[in-house]
Amino acid sequence: MSPSNHAEPLDLTNAQSLCLLRLSAIGDVCHAVAMVQAIQRRYPDLQITWILGKIEYQLLKHLPGVEFVIFDKSQGWRSYFNLKRALKGKKFDVLLHMQIALRATIASLAISAKLRIGFDRFRAKEGQWLVTNHRIEPQATPHVLEGFMGFAQAVGVTDLTPCWNIPVLAADTEFAEALIPNASSVLVICAAASKAERNWLPERYAAVADHAVEKGYRVILCGGPTPLERVLADNIQTAAKSELENQVGKTSLLQLLAILKQASVVLAPDTGPAHMAVTQGTPVIGLYAHSNLGRTGPYTCLDSVVSVYQQVIAEQKQGDIPWGMRAKGAHLMELISVDSVICELDLLLDKQD
């Protein structure tokens, strides 16, 4: 295919169907929801199909006006055949190809669409440029959410202000409100990222938790059921002087979303729940060392991120630093001090008092 770069945005007024390909991860699909709902505001009658991962579906399955097709990568090569079978006979007016990964490029071959929109040539890696015929406008230093909004802009959306409506069942809301009654003072710590090197030290989480307890706040540890997350939570509790409440591995994604909505403040590294909290309007203190907070930080809370990334990347890379470049090292998070995090926490808690 020979992609084009149209200066003028496309108009989907006469289009009937749009397919969105964004398989993972939790934080990224949270960003993508804001883009989808911006498109829905502009084209309320457009039929939207979203191809996404099995885990991510559990968070978004009640999203209004969207049909989901699950791509289960755990099935290996069969996942591509299953996707082709699920889409058999379906033809879309537009495909938004929003994932730069080889598996997404291969998966896109199962999608029949006249207009196939991908990233600009600089970002269209992993063969994406081979399977698209239109590009979004280049962006020099976008946040991931802004990069996604480039797709909405490409199809004529002018209101790009991010807002989120991720429905939660009444039972999940009741669960969260029973745990955290309205107007409670609660710090939720989602301590674990997907990679252990992006986690802060358990004794430092514990020190911040103890400080919050001294200020009259309950502290609840939240997260998924993986061994890494359970062990980290146990280590935080062992190091803490206060008794913390451990909900790690005990909630579904939608229950966790409801808990994050009820929280006063959320403390987390570069991980999905930080972005889930953003969708609920809850203040987030992000802890960053490996990635650029301007690109992947909690979008509405960038001012309260504690980051050592700029310091670290300047030591590792001379000259111009690519916007999306990650810093490398197993102990970078140790550069984040307890005092710097407590300072940000106090600022947020004082605003709420």
Side-chain angles (χ1 to χ4, degrees):
M1 298 185 181
S2 54
S4 58
N5 266 324
H6 296 290
E8 291 296 320
L10 302 163
D11 188 342
L12 301 188
T13 301
N14 296 321
Q16 294 183 333
S17 60
L18 178 148
C19 181
L20 165 65
L21 178 62
R22 180 71 211 190
L23 305 174
S24 59
I26 292 294
D28 290 330
V29 299
C30 286
H31 300 321
V33 167
M35 185 223 65
V36 167
Q37 294 181 333
I39 291 175
Q40 288 176 317
R41 291 194 298 271
R42 173 67 176 82
Y43 302 107
D45 297 325
L46 189 64
Q47 297 174 13
I48 297 178
T49 299
W50 187 339
I51 301 169
L52 85 170
K54 186 177 180 181
I55 295 172
E56 292 75 13
Y57 171 72
Q58 295 305 315
L59 178 65
L60 304 185
K61 57 187 175 183
H62 303 303
L63 213 62
V66 179
E67 176 187 359
F68 291 100
V69 176
I70 296 173
F71 180 88
D72 185 359
K73 65 180 181 180
S74 69
Q75 296 173 342
W77 59 267
R78 291 185 181 86
S79 59
Y80 300 103
F81 291 101
N82 292 339
L83 177 61
K84 190 172 180 66
R85 189 180 304 116
L87 295 176
K88 187 176 181 181
K90 291 191 176 183
K91 294 186 178 181
F92 301 97
D93 293 312
V94 185
L95 166 65
L96 303 185
H97 190 332
M98 295 172 52
Q99 183 138 357
I100 301 167
L102 185 57
R103 72 174 180 276
T105 297
I106 297 170
S108 74
L109 299 175
I111 304 167
S112 176
K114 302 172 190 173
L115 182 64
R116 307 171 68 89
I117 304 176
F119 284 99
D120 58 276
R121 185 65 184 89
F122 179 76
R123 289 179 287 177
K125 299 170 183 176
E126 300 286 344
Q128 192 199 62
W129 61 278
L130 293 169
V131 294
T132 56
N133 55 21
H134 190 92
R135 299 173 186 157
I136 69 169
E137 290 295 316
Q139 297 165 306
T141 55
H143 190 279
V144 172
L145 188 150
E146 294 163 349
F148 288 173
M149 280 298 188
F151 285 84
Q153 191 170 24
V155 296
V157 177
T158 54
D159 177 9
L160 303 175
T161 304
C163 54
W164 291 267
N165 171 25
I166 304 178
V168 175
L169 294 180
D172 296 327
T173 297
E174 290 165 6
F175 168 85
E177 290 178 347
L179 183 68
I180 308 175
N182 291 330
S184 297
S185 298
V186 175
L187 167 66
V188 168
I189 299 178
C190 295
S194 57
K195 295 183 179 178
E197 67 178 15
R198 294 185 208 161
N199 294 339
W200 205 31
L201 284 69
E203 59 270 21
R204 297 189 189 180
Y205 277 122
V208 174
D210 286 335
H211 177 78
V213 170
E214 288 173 7
K215 296 199 71 165
Y217 279 70
R218 290 168 59 196
V219 177
I220 301 177
L221 306 178
C222 289
T226 65
L228 182 150
E229 291 169 278
R230 291 181 187 275
V231 169
L232 180 56
D234 289 343
N235 290 342
I236 293 170
Q237 178 60 82
T238 299
K241 299 173 185 175
S242 314
E243 188 64 31
L244 312 180
E245 300 174 48
N246 190 349
Q247 289 289 328
V248 171
K250 299 177 183 177
T251 60
S252 69
L253 273 173
L254 285 174
Q255 287 173 331
L256 175 56
L257 187 69
I259 288 173
L260 295 171
K261 182 176 183 178
Q262 292 295 106
S264 307
V265 179
V266 173
L267 174 63
D270 185 6
T271 187
H275 305 290
M276 290 168 62
V278 166
T279 72
Q280 302 306 299
T282 302
V284 178
I285 299 173
L287 306 178
Y288 278 66
H290 291 85
S291 54
N292 184 349
L293 73 94
R295 183 177 178 274
T296 65
Y299 189 73
T300 58
C301 305
L302 298 181
D303 289 344
S304 57
V305 170
V306 180
S307 173
V308 294
Y309 170 79
Q310 293 297 341
Q311 164 195 336
V312 170
I313 202 68
E315 294 171 356
Q316 294 186 2
K317 172 75 174 176
Q318 306 302 314
D320 292 336
I321 299 170
W323 180 244
M325 186 175 184
R326 287 189 177 276
K328 297 179 181 179
H331 303 286
L332 302 184
M333 293 292 285
E334 296 175 14
L335 297 172
I336 297 175
S337 69
V338 170
D339 287 345
S340 63
V341 177
I342 285 178
C343 180
E344 288 298 334
L345 179 63
D346 284 347
L347 286 172
L348 288 177
L349 298 187
D350 289 347
K351 287 180 184 177
Q352 296 178 357
D353 289 341

